[in-house]
Amino acid sequence: MKDIFDNIKFGRFNLKSRIIRTGLWESQNDSTYGLSQSIFDRYESLAKNNVGLIITELISLYSHDRFSDYSDYINYPYFIKEFRSLPEIAHEYDVPIFAQIGFINCNINGKQMMEVNELNMEDIRKIQADYIVAAKKIAFAGFDGIQLNIGNNYFLSRVMDPFENQREDNYGGNTYNRVRMVLEIIKLIKQTTDLHIHCRVNLYKDFDDSLEICKILAENGADSLQITKFLSPQYFRKSLSNENMLVDFTDAVASEVSIPVVLGGGLSSMNAMNDLMNSTNIEFFSMQRPFVRNPALLTEWKEKGYGESDCKTCNNCYWKKDSTCLIKSE
Ligand code: SF4
């Protein structure tokens, strides 16, 4: 029987559990002093409490695109100096750590709020070059991998979306063309760093096209995938049909590719994860808000042999400077 606390390979890494801590929008910066001791304490809590792999909160590719005043961006002047502490902390506990990078609004080459179909070749090359510079900084800071957030409503997810992308050049039309821009980024990151490349990718409206996107990514350099949807899967926790759709799709992807595939959120019970893992091809699960609620969650589950997060998915911990849960226990 498989268990979430199995020691397991994930690419070249040995994980202590099958639980991936995905970052969302927790504050990483107090907007005056950069990374503070409370941020370092947060990562230490994750690393020492049985998380298999840590993925940081979103580090935006562009300063204009920060999620809040307390979010970070890759061109923050002290990025390498401050962020190198996060891999140092995680590695003390033998936990690998990836940096998450992405952007939503496309303001480049002096143009504002560009849509997918408006990009010219100069714009495409600028975005790709910005990703390569970001990857080099992430590698230099000592991270083990990079999570390319090309899911949810991030800009590159819209480039791959068959409904959004109506381009008639080599970057639109068939599935491969819509993934081409991301594939070129992956290829260049591989040529210039040894980062593990983890892609957070959507289940779009078209199941088969979405599956094809995942296969193309897996066959062209992606080292692992995390499956998500346009809106965070946490919003679907109470909707069985939506939850099942994501599970069914993740199961289908995991059966078709030979790289690790992570179910992107939506589950918060140890028994439910173990049941799912033993009845499908799904091997890895991601969680985020449950760790804000209780950073020692997995250690408690491991000791008891069962457990469920009581996070309400209310999102009141976000947007704030300290990203703490103030909801009282029942
Ligand atoms: S209960 Fe609400 S405030 Fe607390 S961790 Fe969950 S989402 Fe955040």
Side-chain angles (χ1 to χ4, degrees):
M1 291 279 284
K2 296 177 190 168
D3 188 274
I4 62 167
F5 292 112
D6 291 337
N7 292 333
I8 187 158
K9 292 288 278 187
F10 189 97
R12 66 177 187 265
F13 308 107
N14 296 309
L15 308 194
K16 293 177 188 166
S17 77
R18 298 171 183 266
I19 304 298
I20 315 301
R21 183 277 189 164
T22 293
L24 289 178
W25 317 304
E26 273 189 86
S27 302
Q28 275 186 154
N29 188 324
D30 72 7
S31 82
T32 308
Y33 302 109
L35 294 189
S36 60
Q37 188 57 46
S38 64
I39 312 290
F40 300 141
D41 292 346
R42 177 193 304 161
Y43 279 83
E44 182 165 21
S45 292
L46 290 165
K48 71 182 184 189
N49 278 296
N50 293 297
V51 168
L53 161 70
I54 298 173
I55 299 174
T56 68
E57 327 322 323
L58 180 76
I59 300 162
S60 185
L61 194 61
Y62 300 114
S63 58
H64 70 259
D65 203 55
R66 286 192 303 160
F67 185 75
S68 78
D69 287 346
Y70 313 116
S71 303
D72 260 310
Y73 57 102
I74 195 74
N75 287 331
Y76 168 59
Y78 307 108
F79 177 82
I80 293 172
K81 182 172 173 232
E82 294 187 7
F83 272 75
R84 71 188 328 155
S85 297
L86 301 185
E88 283 169 9
I89 291 167
H91 293 163
E92 260 181 55
Y93 296 90
D94 292 327
V95 175
I97 180 167
F98 299 172
Q100 178 191 174
I101 191 108
F103 71 105
I104 293 177
N105 296 318
C106 186
N107 301 354
I108 53 161
N109 288 333
K111 295 171 278 192
Q112 304 289 310
M113 305 297 278
M114 298 280 286
E115 298 295 339
V116 171
N117 300 328
E118 296 171 341
L119 299 176
N120 62 29
M121 275 314 298
E122 189 185 352
D123 301 327
I124 289 172
R125 293 292 180 249
K126 169 77 172 106
I127 292 168
Q128 292 175 322
D130 290 339
Y131 268 99
I132 308 315
V133 172
K136 284 185 166 183
K137 284 188 178 181
I138 286 165
F140 201 67
F143 286 92
D144 303 293
I146 184 169
Q147 184 189 59
L148 298 178
N149 195 335
I150 54 176
N152 306 125
N153 64 336
Y154 287 86
F155 189 79
L156 293 183
S157 80
R158 308 205 297 268
V159 170
M160 298 194 299
D161 186 338
F163 295 94
E164 184 107 14
N165 184 336
Q166 298 295 316
R167 299 177 66 93
E168 294 179 351
D169 61 0
N170 285 344
Y171 294 89
N174 64 45
T175 313
Y176 190 94
N177 277 0
R178 281 183 272 112
V179 188
R180 185 187 300 276
M181 190 169 159
V182 173
L183 297 185
E184 289 173 347
I185 291 170
I186 291 174
K187 186 176 176 190
L188 285 165
I189 293 176
K190 290 255 172 207
Q191 283 174 355
T192 50
T193 75
D194 64 353
L195 292 170
H196 176 112
I197 300 181
H198 179 62
C199 294
R200 182 156 152 181
V201 61
N202 279 351
L203 162 60
Y204 296 96
K205 284 183 190 153
D206 185 331
F207 188 102
D208 292 337
D209 187 74
S210 307
L211 186 56
E212 187 62 21
I213 288 173
C214 291
K215 285 161 72 176
I216 290 170
L217 288 166
E219 287 162 6
N220 291 277
D223 295 305
S224 57
L225 302 174
Q226 180 175 322
I227 309 300
T228 187
K229 294 177 62 121
F230 179 76
L231 284 174
S232 165
Q234 292 287 343
Y235 290 105
F236 297 110
R237 271 172 65 180
K238 292 188 174 59
S239 164
L240 199 58
S241 60
N242 271 305
E243 189 176 293
N244 284 347
M245 222 187 327
L246 195 64
V247 168
D248 289 349
F249 182 66
T250 307
D251 186 21
V253 175
S255 71
E256 291 277 349
V257 304
S258 55
I259 57 174
V261 179
V262 180
L263 173 62
L267 291 183
S268 57
S269 146
M270 178 173 168
N271 285 351
M273 290 185 215
N274 278 339
D275 287 349
L276 196 59
M277 197 165 43
N278 284 292
S279 57
T280 68
N281 295 294
I282 298 171
E283 301 255 13
F284 300 96
F285 302 90
S286 79
M287 290 198 298
Q288 206 278 335
R289 294 169 187 81
F291 293 121
V292 181
R293 180 81 176 144
N294 178 5
L297 183 79
L298 292 184
T299 296
E300 292 176 10
W301 289 8
K302 191 171 184 185
E303 281 168 7
K304 288 192 294 187
Y306 65 91
E308 180 163 5
S309 170
D310 61 353
C311 168
K312 312 281 184 234
T313 321
C314 64
N315 277 348
N316 285 331
C317 47
Y318 293 103
W319 313 94
K320 294 178 192 154
K321 197 169 178 176
D322 56 2
S323 290
T324 49
C325 180
L326 300 175
I327 307 297
K328 289 191 179 146
S329 296
E330 288 170 358

